Amino acid sequence: MEHLELFFKSIFIDNMVFATFLGMCSYLAVSKKVTTAVGLGAAVIFVLMVTVPLNWLLDQYILQPGALKWLGAEYAAYDLSFLSFILFIATIATMVQLVEIIVEKFSPSLYNSLGIFLPLIAVNCAILGGSLFMQSREIPTLGLALTYGVGSGIGWFLAILAIAAIREKIRYSNIPAPLRGLGITFIVTGLMAIGFMSFGGMLTGGEEEAKAEDKTAIEKTVEEKKIEEATKEVKEEVAVNTKEIK
Amino acid sequence: MGLLSKKDAALITDPFADNNPITIQVLGICSALAITAELKASIVMAVSVLFVMGVGNVVISLMRNIIPSKIRIIAQLIVVATLVIIVDLVLKAVAYDLSKTLGAFIGLIITNCIIMGRFEAFALANGPWRSFLDGIGNAVGYGVILILVGFFRELLGSGTLLGFKVLGDPIEKTGLYALGYENNGFMLLAPMALIVVGIIIWIQRSRNEALIEEN
């Protein structure tokens, strides 16, 4: 159940593209045709599936405060979390290089169709973002990390597939000239993101707010602001009412 | 001869408008969208990228003759990651609340494609001084868009700029609020960042017809 919940959550609610804007560069650059979009999307799913659990292990046994306990009691006080950027990106770059070699060896045709996009995955922020969010959301087990990696990969795949299909159709529309290409893609993505926001109530049935700790920092600050404003309004009403009573 | 020759000056001015990293080269979009709900966060992000780009470009340019081309991506990533760790630690020490707001996005400067793009396209082929100018120019072009988007989103979304109330007080109904103006909370939500950038692109391309795309 836990796995299923995290899986759907990472696909729809925390969608990499529409909720956190990760991997936008390749999302915009490689979404002109559905076929290339599918190739890149599949590669992203695969790399996320491998790197998120790997980085989870690194985080758990090397980086976290006290993670070095397995080396001996005298290492328990070390906190290497400042090294996480460098270790995560090294894992990702190595994995991407490995994937490239394996794909080239076993499926030259797929390798040729992906071509330049494979090494580009190393600098796709969705991949590093997957590992960083895995760390900041403190995903508890290796299995859940795997679910999270696959789920967010599928979410990214869905997003690029959808925009590629829309862009293939949009070519026949009469768009104002300055908005053609990049401009309209941005705006369509924005509208899709508004649509995806409605998935927010999926797991809670829309009756209660999603749990506060599941939200990203930015969403939290927005929420806090709203609450602040709401409390101010209430206070103001109370003040007015008391004045009237007086 | 002045400090900057004409060719060098173009390195700074080009990315500012006609070759802007975000609106023309389509690089570094992720962070431009994600952290622009507040002007302050946008400015901090722009300054961080300015530092990483300026220093990183110089370092890569100095090392360009000794990096084997096969492992250059890993070498570049290590340089960027080191600089980003410095930025991250400084932010945590100086402005802890802000670094919490920016969260994972400081770490994501590592995969900001503007930086990798400029390393690949410029620093690997040019001397340190010119690379430095190129880095600064592109980072400023990036920062301008960030600050523009942050400005409009904070102004229209919560009626403040850098936390100061500029449109009057929504509770006391002063300033614009007396005339019936309401904050558009929608601007604070993530999708509006995309639409604001889309509009910036629209304006830019209708002012300069040469930039219009086929489709």
Side-chain angles (χ1 to χ4, degrees), chain A residues 22 85 129 132-133 135-136 215-219 221, chain B residues 34-35 41 44-45 84 87-89 91-92 95-109:
Chain A
L22 295 180
F85 295 159
L132 288 177
F133 281 132
Q135 189 188 33
S136 67
K215 296 196 169 161
T216 61
I218 295 153
E219 281 172 333
T221 49
Chain B
I35 43 85
V44 170
M45 191 68 179
V84 171
V87 170
D88 187 45
L89 291 179
L91 262 185
K92 272 191 185 135
Y96 187 72
D97 291 341
L98 205 59
S99 79
K100 277 280 163 204
T101 322
L102 289 169
F105 289 98
I106 287 291
L108 289 171
I109 296 179

PDB file of all heavy atoms in Angstrom, chain A residues 22 85 129 132-133 135-136 215-219 221, chain B residues 34-35 41 44-45 84 87-89 91-92 95-109:
ATOM      1  N   LEU A  22      11.548  20.117 -12.997  1.00  0.00           N
ATOM      2  CA  LEU A  22      12.878  19.558 -13.197  1.00  0.00           C
ATOM      3  C   LEU A  22      12.973  18.952 -14.587  1.00  0.00           C
ATOM      4  O   LEU A  22      12.002  18.451 -15.135  1.00  0.00           O
ATOM      5  CB  LEU A  22      13.163  18.504 -12.137  1.00  0.00           C
ATOM      6  CG  LEU A  22      13.225  19.096 -10.740  1.00  0.00           C
ATOM      7  CD1 LEU A  22      13.499  18.027  -9.729  1.00  0.00           C
ATOM      8  CD2 LEU A  22      14.280  20.161 -10.675  1.00  0.00           C
ATOM      9  N   PHE A  85      26.325  16.327  -2.848  1.00  0.00           N
ATOM     10  CA  PHE A  85      26.234  16.766  -4.255  1.00  0.00           C
ATOM     11  C   PHE A  85      27.258  16.040  -5.109  1.00  0.00           C
ATOM     12  O   PHE A  85      26.958  15.500  -6.171  1.00  0.00           O
ATOM     13  CB  PHE A  85      26.499  18.267  -4.388  1.00  0.00           C
ATOM     14  CG  PHE A  85      25.476  19.125  -3.717  1.00  0.00           C
ATOM     15  CD1 PHE A  85      25.779  20.429  -3.370  1.00  0.00           C
ATOM     16  CD2 PHE A  85      24.216  18.631  -3.455  1.00  0.00           C
ATOM     17  CE1 PHE A  85      24.833  21.222  -2.755  1.00  0.00           C
ATOM     18  CE2 PHE A  85      23.271  19.416  -2.841  1.00  0.00           C
ATOM     19  CZ  PHE A  85      23.589  20.720  -2.483  1.00  0.00           C
ATOM     20  N   GLY A 129      17.753  15.798  -9.293  1.00  0.00           N
ATOM     21  CA  GLY A 129      16.621  16.190  -8.451  1.00  0.00           C
ATOM     22  C   GLY A 129      15.991  14.987  -7.781  1.00  0.00           C
ATOM     23  O   GLY A 129      15.647  15.044  -6.597  1.00  0.00           O
ATOM     24  N   LEU A 132      18.172  14.174  -4.871  1.00  0.00           N
ATOM     25  CA  LEU A 132      18.153  15.205  -3.822  1.00  0.00           C
ATOM     26  C   LEU A 132      16.820  15.213  -3.066  1.00  0.00           C
ATOM     27  O   LEU A 132      16.790  15.373  -1.855  1.00  0.00           O
ATOM     28  CB  LEU A 132      18.427  16.582  -4.417  1.00  0.00           C
ATOM     29  CG  LEU A 132      19.870  16.827  -4.866  1.00  0.00           C
ATOM     30  CD1 LEU A 132      20.008  18.193  -5.504  1.00  0.00           C
ATOM     31  CD2 LEU A 132      20.818  16.719  -3.691  1.00  0.00           C
ATOM     32  N   PHE A 133      15.712  15.020  -3.817  1.00  0.00           N
ATOM     33  CA  PHE A 133      14.414  14.967  -3.135  1.00  0.00           C
ATOM     34  C   PHE A 133      14.306  13.703  -2.304  1.00  0.00           C
ATOM     35  O   PHE A 133      13.728  13.710  -1.222  1.00  0.00           O
ATOM     36  CB  PHE A 133      13.275  15.043  -4.143  1.00  0.00           C
ATOM     37  CG  PHE A 133      13.014  16.435  -4.620  1.00  0.00           C
ATOM     38  CD1 PHE A 133      12.883  16.715  -5.962  1.00  0.00           C
ATOM     39  CD2 PHE A 133      12.884  17.469  -3.711  1.00  0.00           C
ATOM     40  CE1 PHE A 133      12.658  18.008  -6.396  1.00  0.00           C
ATOM     41  CE2 PHE A 133      12.648  18.762  -4.138  1.00  0.00           C
ATOM     42  CZ  PHE A 133      12.534  19.032  -5.492  1.00  0.00           C
ATOM     43  N   GLN A 135      16.688  12.408  -0.753  1.00  0.00           N
ATOM     44  CA  GLN A 135      17.424  12.705   0.481  1.00  0.00           C
ATOM     45  C   GLN A 135      16.612  13.631   1.390  1.00  0.00           C
ATOM     46  O   GLN A 135      16.483  13.384   2.583  1.00  0.00           O
ATOM     47  CB  GLN A 135      18.751  13.354   0.108  1.00  0.00           C
ATOM     48  CG  GLN A 135      19.697  13.505   1.272  1.00  0.00           C
ATOM     49  CD  GLN A 135      20.904  14.327   0.885  1.00  0.00           C
ATOM     50  OE1 GLN A 135      20.821  15.237   0.067  1.00  0.00           O
ATOM     51  NE2 GLN A 135      22.045  14.001   1.463  1.00  0.00           N
ATOM     52  N   SER A 136      16.042  14.712   0.792  1.00  0.00           N
ATOM     53  CA  SER A 136      15.393  15.702   1.660  1.00  0.00           C
ATOM     54  C   SER A 136      14.053  15.203   2.179  1.00  0.00           C
ATOM     55  O   SER A 136      13.592  15.639   3.220  1.00  0.00           O
ATOM     56  CB  SER A 136      15.239  17.031   0.925  1.00  0.00           C
ATOM     57  OG  SER A 136      14.331  16.909  -0.128  1.00  0.00           O
ATOM     58  N   LYS A 215       5.229  18.186   1.434  1.00  0.00           N
ATOM     59  CA  LYS A 215       5.286  19.259   0.448  1.00  0.00           C
ATOM     60  C   LYS A 215       6.702  19.787   0.289  1.00  0.00           C
ATOM     61  O   LYS A 215       7.517  19.693   1.191  1.00  0.00           O
ATOM     62  CB  LYS A 215       4.369  20.380   0.899  1.00  0.00           C
ATOM     63  CG  LYS A 215       2.955  19.884   0.921  1.00  0.00           C
ATOM     64  CD  LYS A 215       2.009  21.035   0.982  1.00  0.00           C
ATOM     65  CE  LYS A 215       0.612  20.513   0.718  1.00  0.00           C
ATOM     66  NZ  LYS A 215      -0.405  21.398   1.166  1.00  0.00           N
ATOM     67  N   THR A 216       6.969  20.352  -0.862  1.00  0.00           N
ATOM     68  CA  THR A 216       8.281  20.947  -1.062  1.00  0.00           C
ATOM     69  C   THR A 216       8.336  22.262  -0.297  1.00  0.00           C
ATOM     70  O   THR A 216       7.312  22.818   0.103  1.00  0.00           O
ATOM     71  CB  THR A 216       8.533  21.232  -2.542  1.00  0.00           C
ATOM     72  OG1 THR A 216       7.530  22.146  -2.974  1.00  0.00           O
ATOM     73  CG2 THR A 216       8.430  19.975  -3.363  1.00  0.00           C
ATOM     74  N   ALA A 217       9.541  22.759  -0.101  1.00  0.00           N
ATOM     75  CA  ALA A 217       9.739  23.953   0.695  1.00  0.00           C
ATOM     76  C   ALA A 217       8.941  25.136   0.137  1.00  0.00           C
ATOM     77  O   ALA A 217       8.347  25.917   0.879  1.00  0.00           O
ATOM     78  CB  ALA A 217      11.222  24.289   0.757  1.00  0.00           C
ATOM     79  N   ILE A 218       8.907  25.224  -1.191  1.00  0.00           N
ATOM     80  CA  ILE A 218       8.250  26.376  -1.796  1.00  0.00           C
ATOM     81  C   ILE A 218       6.754  26.328  -1.549  1.00  0.00           C
ATOM     82  O   ILE A 218       6.143  27.312  -1.138  1.00  0.00           O
ATOM     83  CB  ILE A 218       8.547  26.405  -3.302  1.00  0.00           C
ATOM     84  CG1 ILE A 218      10.031  26.623  -3.492  1.00  0.00           C
ATOM     85  CG2 ILE A 218       7.768  27.500  -3.986  1.00  0.00           C
ATOM     86  CD1 ILE A 218      10.545  26.056  -4.757  1.00  0.00           C
ATOM     87  N   GLU A 219       6.186  25.137  -1.753  1.00  0.00           N
ATOM     88  CA  GLU A 219       4.764  25.002  -1.494  1.00  0.00           C
ATOM     89  C   GLU A 219       4.462  25.373  -0.053  1.00  0.00           C
ATOM     90  O   GLU A 219       3.460  25.999   0.236  1.00  0.00           O
ATOM     91  CB  GLU A 219       4.323  23.564  -1.764  1.00  0.00           C
ATOM     92  CG  GLU A 219       4.127  23.291  -3.247  1.00  0.00           C
ATOM     93  CD  GLU A 219       3.893  21.822  -3.517  1.00  0.00           C
ATOM     94  OE1 GLU A 219       4.360  20.992  -2.710  1.00  0.00           O
ATOM     95  OE2 GLU A 219       3.256  21.509  -4.521  1.00  0.00           O
ATOM     96  N   THR A 221       6.045  27.503   1.906  1.00  0.00           N
ATOM     97  CA  THR A 221       6.047  28.947   2.163  1.00  0.00           C
ATOM     98  C   THR A 221       4.790  29.580   1.600  1.00  0.00           C
ATOM     99  O   THR A 221       4.210  30.476   2.218  1.00  0.00           O
ATOM    100  CB  THR A 221       7.282  29.624   1.543  1.00  0.00           C
ATOM    101  OG1 THR A 221       7.394  29.192   0.200  1.00  0.00           O
ATOM    102  CG2 THR A 221       8.530  29.286   2.299  1.00  0.00           C
TER     103      THR A 221
ATOM    104  N   ALA B  34      11.317  27.477 -10.842  1.00  0.00           N
ATOM    105  CA  ALA B  34      10.923  26.901  -9.567  1.00  0.00           C
ATOM    106  C   ALA B  34      11.033  27.874  -8.402  1.00  0.00           C
ATOM    107  O   ALA B  34      10.267  27.794  -7.462  1.00  0.00           O
ATOM    108  CB  ALA B  34      11.739  25.656  -9.289  1.00  0.00           C
ATOM    109  N   ILE B  35      11.997  28.796  -8.420  1.00  0.00           N
ATOM    110  CA  ILE B  35      12.231  29.561  -7.204  1.00  0.00           C
ATOM    111  C   ILE B  35      11.815  31.017  -7.343  1.00  0.00           C
ATOM    112  O   ILE B  35      12.210  31.850  -6.548  1.00  0.00           O
ATOM    113  CB  ILE B  35      13.706  29.472  -6.756  1.00  0.00           C
ATOM    114  CG1 ILE B  35      14.656  29.613  -7.929  1.00  0.00           C
ATOM    115  CG2 ILE B  35      13.995  28.177  -6.069  1.00  0.00           C
ATOM    116  CD1 ILE B  35      14.957  30.992  -8.290  1.00  0.00           C
ATOM    117  N   ALA B  41      14.444  35.358  -3.320  1.00  0.00           N
ATOM    118  CA  ALA B  41      14.999  34.066  -3.707  1.00  0.00           C
ATOM    119  C   ALA B  41      15.571  34.131  -5.116  1.00  0.00           C
ATOM    120  O   ALA B  41      16.635  33.564  -5.402  1.00  0.00           O
ATOM    121  CB  ALA B  41      13.921  32.991  -3.614  1.00  0.00           C
ATOM    122  N   VAL B  44      18.986  35.886  -4.959  1.00  0.00           N
ATOM    123  CA  VAL B  44      20.026  35.021  -4.391  1.00  0.00           C
ATOM    124  C   VAL B  44      20.456  33.964  -5.405  1.00  0.00           C
ATOM    125  O   VAL B  44      21.647  33.687  -5.591  1.00  0.00           O
ATOM    126  CB  VAL B  44      19.522  34.353  -3.097  1.00  0.00           C
ATOM    127  CG1 VAL B  44      20.480  33.285  -2.631  1.00  0.00           C
ATOM    128  CG2 VAL B  44      19.349  35.394  -2.027  1.00  0.00           C
ATOM    129  N   MET B  45      19.467  33.382  -6.087  1.00  0.00           N
ATOM    130  CA  MET B  45      19.775  32.362  -7.083  1.00  0.00           C
ATOM    131  C   MET B  45      20.638  32.967  -8.199  1.00  0.00           C
ATOM    132  O   MET B  45      21.614  32.368  -8.635  1.00  0.00           O
ATOM    133  CB  MET B  45      18.462  31.836  -7.666  1.00  0.00           C
ATOM    134  CG  MET B  45      18.630  30.611  -8.497  1.00  0.00           C
ATOM    135  SD  MET B  45      19.114  29.235  -7.447  1.00  0.00           S
ATOM    136  CE  MET B  45      19.216  27.968  -8.657  1.00  0.00           C
ATOM    137  N   VAL B  84      29.462  24.646  -6.138  1.00  0.00           N
ATOM    138  CA  VAL B  84      28.102  24.707  -5.594  1.00  0.00           C
ATOM    139  C   VAL B  84      28.106  24.364  -4.111  1.00  0.00           C
ATOM    140  O   VAL B  84      27.355  24.958  -3.334  1.00  0.00           O
ATOM    141  CB  VAL B  84      27.158  23.786  -6.388  1.00  0.00           C
ATOM    142  CG1 VAL B  84      25.818  23.670  -5.702  1.00  0.00           C
ATOM    143  CG2 VAL B  84      26.958  24.331  -7.781  1.00  0.00           C
ATOM    144  N   VAL B  87      28.906  27.502  -2.355  1.00  0.00           N
ATOM    145  CA  VAL B  87      27.741  28.391  -2.300  1.00  0.00           C
ATOM    146  C   VAL B  87      26.756  27.906  -1.247  1.00  0.00           C
ATOM    147  O   VAL B  87      26.243  28.692  -0.436  1.00  0.00           O
ATOM    148  CB  VAL B  87      27.056  28.450  -3.681  1.00  0.00           C
ATOM    149  CG1 VAL B  87      25.722  29.169  -3.580  1.00  0.00           C
ATOM    150  CG2 VAL B  87      27.934  29.146  -4.680  1.00  0.00           C
ATOM    151  N   ASP B  88      26.503  26.592  -1.245  1.00  0.00           N
ATOM    152  CA  ASP B  88      25.529  26.019  -0.335  1.00  0.00           C
ATOM    153  C   ASP B  88      25.937  26.258   1.117  1.00  0.00           C
ATOM    154  O   ASP B  88      25.126  26.679   1.946  1.00  0.00           O
ATOM    155  CB  ASP B  88      25.416  24.521  -0.620  1.00  0.00           C
ATOM    156  CG  ASP B  88      24.302  23.866   0.168  1.00  0.00           C
ATOM    157  OD1 ASP B  88      23.214  24.457   0.207  1.00  0.00           O
ATOM    158  OD2 ASP B  88      24.524  22.790   0.742  1.00  0.00           O
ATOM    159  N   LEU B  89      27.232  26.005   1.428  1.00  0.00           N
ATOM    160  CA  LEU B  89      27.694  26.168   2.811  1.00  0.00           C
ATOM    161  C   LEU B  89      27.653  27.635   3.222  1.00  0.00           C
ATOM    162  O   LEU B  89      27.255  27.964   4.338  1.00  0.00           O
ATOM    163  CB  LEU B  89      29.107  25.592   2.962  1.00  0.00           C
ATOM    164  CG  LEU B  89      29.187  24.068   2.856  1.00  0.00           C
ATOM    165  CD1 LEU B  89      30.621  23.600   2.981  1.00  0.00           C
ATOM    166  CD2 LEU B  89      28.334  23.404   3.912  1.00  0.00           C
ATOM    167  N   LEU B  91      25.628  29.964   2.056  1.00  0.00           N
ATOM    168  CA  LEU B  91      24.225  30.334   2.254  1.00  0.00           C
ATOM    169  C   LEU B  91      23.702  29.827   3.584  1.00  0.00           C
ATOM    170  O   LEU B  91      22.989  30.532   4.298  1.00  0.00           O
ATOM    171  CB  LEU B  91      23.372  29.749   1.137  1.00  0.00           C
ATOM    172  CG  LEU B  91      23.009  30.662  -0.017  1.00  0.00           C
ATOM    173  CD1 LEU B  91      22.062  29.951  -0.942  1.00  0.00           C
ATOM    174  CD2 LEU B  91      22.385  31.932   0.500  1.00  0.00           C
ATOM    175  N   LYS B  92      24.070  28.581   3.912  1.00  0.00           N
ATOM    176  CA  LYS B  92      23.589  28.019   5.175  1.00  0.00           C
ATOM    177  C   LYS B  92      24.111  28.826   6.346  1.00  0.00           C
ATOM    178  O   LYS B  92      23.443  28.980   7.364  1.00  0.00           O
ATOM    179  CB  LYS B  92      24.033  26.565   5.297  1.00  0.00           C
ATOM    180  CG  LYS B  92      23.035  25.615   4.666  1.00  0.00           C
ATOM    181  CD  LYS B  92      23.317  24.174   5.012  1.00  0.00           C
ATOM    182  CE  LYS B  92      22.364  23.267   4.266  1.00  0.00           C
ATOM    183  NZ  LYS B  92      23.052  22.118   3.676  1.00  0.00           N
ATOM    184  N   ALA B  95      22.484  32.945   5.520  1.00  0.00           N
ATOM    185  CA  ALA B  95      21.040  33.136   5.459  1.00  0.00           C
ATOM    186  C   ALA B  95      20.361  31.774   5.512  1.00  0.00           C
ATOM    187  O   ALA B  95      19.982  31.215   4.491  1.00  0.00           O
ATOM    188  CB  ALA B  95      20.658  33.877   4.177  1.00  0.00           C
ATOM    189  N   TYR B  96      20.208  31.244   6.735  1.00  0.00           N
ATOM    190  CA  TYR B  96      19.729  29.873   6.868  1.00  0.00           C
ATOM    191  C   TYR B  96      18.293  29.719   6.373  1.00  0.00           C
ATOM    192  O   TYR B  96      17.972  28.757   5.673  1.00  0.00           O
ATOM    193  CB  TYR B  96      19.845  29.417   8.319  1.00  0.00           C
ATOM    194  CG  TYR B  96      19.532  27.967   8.490  1.00  0.00           C
ATOM    195  CD1 TYR B  96      20.420  27.000   8.033  1.00  0.00           C
ATOM    196  CD2 TYR B  96      18.345  27.543   9.089  1.00  0.00           C
ATOM    197  CE1 TYR B  96      20.139  25.660   8.171  1.00  0.00           C
ATOM    198  CE2 TYR B  96      18.062  26.204   9.226  1.00  0.00           C
ATOM    199  CZ  TYR B  96      18.964  25.270   8.767  1.00  0.00           C
ATOM    200  OH  TYR B  96      18.681  23.936   8.889  1.00  0.00           O
ATOM    201  N   ASP B  97      17.423  30.692   6.703  1.00  0.00           N
ATOM    202  CA  ASP B  97      16.019  30.585   6.294  1.00  0.00           C
ATOM    203  C   ASP B  97      15.898  30.516   4.791  1.00  0.00           C
ATOM    204  O   ASP B  97      15.152  29.717   4.231  1.00  0.00           O
ATOM    205  CB  ASP B  97      15.229  31.809   6.795  1.00  0.00           C
ATOM    206  CG  ASP B  97      15.103  31.795   8.295  1.00  0.00           C
ATOM    207  OD1 ASP B  97      15.286  30.705   8.868  1.00  0.00           O
ATOM    208  OD2 ASP B  97      14.844  32.862   8.882  1.00  0.00           O
ATOM    209  N   LEU B  98      16.672  31.385   4.132  1.00  0.00           N
ATOM    210  CA  LEU B  98      16.610  31.451   2.681  1.00  0.00           C
ATOM    211  C   LEU B  98      17.092  30.142   2.069  1.00  0.00           C
ATOM    212  O   LEU B  98      16.521  29.638   1.101  1.00  0.00           O
ATOM    213  CB  LEU B  98      17.475  32.608   2.193  1.00  0.00           C
ATOM    214  CG  LEU B  98      17.074  33.169   0.844  1.00  0.00           C
ATOM    215  CD1 LEU B  98      15.650  33.666   0.899  1.00  0.00           C
ATOM    216  CD2 LEU B  98      18.000  34.289   0.463  1.00  0.00           C
ATOM    217  N   SER B  99      18.150  29.561   2.656  1.00  0.00           N
ATOM    218  CA  SER B  99      18.669  28.321   2.095  1.00  0.00           C
ATOM    219  C   SER B  99      17.654  27.197   2.280  1.00  0.00           C
ATOM    220  O   SER B  99      17.603  26.258   1.494  1.00  0.00           O
ATOM    221  CB  SER B  99      20.018  27.953   2.725  1.00  0.00           C
ATOM    222  OG  SER B  99      19.832  27.366   3.971  1.00  0.00           O
ATOM    223  N   LYS B 100      16.800  27.296   3.313  1.00  0.00           N
ATOM    224  CA  LYS B 100      15.717  26.318   3.480  1.00  0.00           C
ATOM    225  C   LYS B 100      14.688  26.494   2.371  1.00  0.00           C
ATOM    226  O   LYS B 100      14.192  25.521   1.817  1.00  0.00           O
ATOM    227  CB  LYS B 100      15.037  26.516   4.840  1.00  0.00           C
ATOM    228  CG  LYS B 100      15.759  25.843   5.965  1.00  0.00           C
ATOM    229  CD  LYS B 100      15.424  24.352   6.003  1.00  0.00           C
ATOM    230  CE  LYS B 100      16.434  23.607   6.849  1.00  0.00           C
ATOM    231  NZ  LYS B 100      16.537  22.200   6.500  1.00  0.00           N
ATOM    232  N   THR B 101      14.367  27.769   2.044  1.00  0.00           N
ATOM    233  CA  THR B 101      13.385  28.026   0.995  1.00  0.00           C
ATOM    234  C   THR B 101      13.869  27.499  -0.336  1.00  0.00           C
ATOM    235  O   THR B 101      13.118  26.899  -1.099  1.00  0.00           O
ATOM    236  CB  THR B 101      13.131  29.543   0.846  1.00  0.00           C
ATOM    237  OG1 THR B 101      13.136  30.123   2.132  1.00  0.00           O
ATOM    238  CG2 THR B 101      11.837  29.814   0.135  1.00  0.00           C
ATOM    239  N   LEU B 102      15.154  27.731  -0.622  1.00  0.00           N
ATOM    240  CA  LEU B 102      15.677  27.301  -1.910  1.00  0.00           C
ATOM    241  C   LEU B 102      15.846  25.788  -1.949  1.00  0.00           C
ATOM    242  O   LEU B 102      15.759  25.181  -3.007  1.00  0.00           O
ATOM    243  CB  LEU B 102      17.015  27.988  -2.184  1.00  0.00           C
ATOM    244  CG  LEU B 102      16.897  29.476  -2.487  1.00  0.00           C
ATOM    245  CD1 LEU B 102      18.247  30.133  -2.490  1.00  0.00           C
ATOM    246  CD2 LEU B 102      16.214  29.700  -3.817  1.00  0.00           C
ATOM    247  N   GLY B 103      16.073  25.193  -0.785  1.00  0.00           N
ATOM    248  CA  GLY B 103      16.101  23.738  -0.663  1.00  0.00           C
ATOM    249  C   GLY B 103      17.023  23.071  -1.664  1.00  0.00           C
ATOM    250  O   GLY B 103      18.182  23.456  -1.828  1.00  0.00           O
ATOM    251  N   ALA B 104      16.469  22.084  -2.360  1.00  0.00           N
ATOM    252  CA  ALA B 104      17.275  21.287  -3.271  1.00  0.00           C
ATOM    253  C   ALA B 104      17.733  22.092  -4.482  1.00  0.00           C
ATOM    254  O   ALA B 104      18.622  21.655  -5.208  1.00  0.00           O
ATOM    255  CB  ALA B 104      16.482  20.070  -3.725  1.00  0.00           C
ATOM    256  N   PHE B 105      17.148  23.275  -4.685  1.00  0.00           N
ATOM    257  CA  PHE B 105      17.439  23.963  -5.945  1.00  0.00           C
ATOM    258  C   PHE B 105      18.835  24.549  -6.016  1.00  0.00           C
ATOM    259  O   PHE B 105      19.349  24.774  -7.100  1.00  0.00           O
ATOM    260  CB  PHE B 105      16.374  25.020  -6.230  1.00  0.00           C
ATOM    261  CG  PHE B 105      15.083  24.391  -6.607  1.00  0.00           C
ATOM    262  CD1 PHE B 105      14.067  24.221  -5.694  1.00  0.00           C
ATOM    263  CD2 PHE B 105      14.900  23.878  -7.882  1.00  0.00           C
ATOM    264  CE1 PHE B 105      12.892  23.585  -6.028  1.00  0.00           C
ATOM    265  CE2 PHE B 105      13.729  23.242  -8.232  1.00  0.00           C
ATOM    266  CZ  PHE B 105      12.725  23.097  -7.303  1.00  0.00           C
ATOM    267  N   ILE B 106      19.461  24.798  -4.837  1.00  0.00           N
ATOM    268  CA  ILE B 106      20.863  25.207  -4.870  1.00  0.00           C
ATOM    269  C   ILE B 106      21.703  24.051  -5.415  1.00  0.00           C
ATOM    270  O   ILE B 106      22.551  24.224  -6.289  1.00  0.00           O
ATOM    271  CB  ILE B 106      21.336  25.622  -3.461  1.00  0.00           C
ATOM    272  CG1 ILE B 106      20.743  26.967  -3.071  1.00  0.00           C
ATOM    273  CG2 ILE B 106      22.853  25.701  -3.404  1.00  0.00           C
ATOM    274  CD1 ILE B 106      21.261  28.144  -3.838  1.00  0.00           C
ATOM    275  N   GLY B 107      21.431  22.848  -4.920  1.00  0.00           N
ATOM    276  CA  GLY B 107      22.142  21.672  -5.418  1.00  0.00           C
ATOM    277  C   GLY B 107      21.947  21.483  -6.908  1.00  0.00           C
ATOM    278  O   GLY B 107      22.838  21.006  -7.615  1.00  0.00           O
ATOM    279  N   LEU B 108      20.779  21.884  -7.374  1.00  0.00           N
ATOM    280  CA  LEU B 108      20.489  21.678  -8.795  1.00  0.00           C
ATOM    281  C   LEU B 108      21.210  22.669  -9.696  1.00  0.00           C
ATOM    282  O   LEU B 108      21.127  22.556 -10.912  1.00  0.00           O
ATOM    283  CB  LEU B 108      18.984  21.738  -9.029  1.00  0.00           C
ATOM    284  CG  LEU B 108      18.252  20.523  -8.457  1.00  0.00           C
ATOM    285  CD1 LEU B 108      16.763  20.716  -8.502  1.00  0.00           C
ATOM    286  CD2 LEU B 108      18.632  19.277  -9.220  1.00  0.00           C
ATOM    287  N   ILE B 109      21.934  23.641  -9.115  1.00  0.00           N
ATOM    288  CA  ILE B 109      22.772  24.504  -9.964  1.00  0.00           C
ATOM    289  C   ILE B 109      23.778  23.624 -10.708  1.00  0.00           C
ATOM    290  O   ILE B 109      24.178  23.925 -11.830  1.00  0.00           O
ATOM    291  CB  ILE B 109      23.522  25.564  -9.130  1.00  0.00           C
ATOM    292  CG1 ILE B 109      22.543  26.521  -8.459  1.00  0.00           C
ATOM    293  CG2 ILE B 109      24.464  26.391 -10.004  1.00  0.00           C
ATOM    294  CD1 ILE B 109      23.214  27.567  -7.605  1.00  0.00           C
TER     295      ILE B 109
END
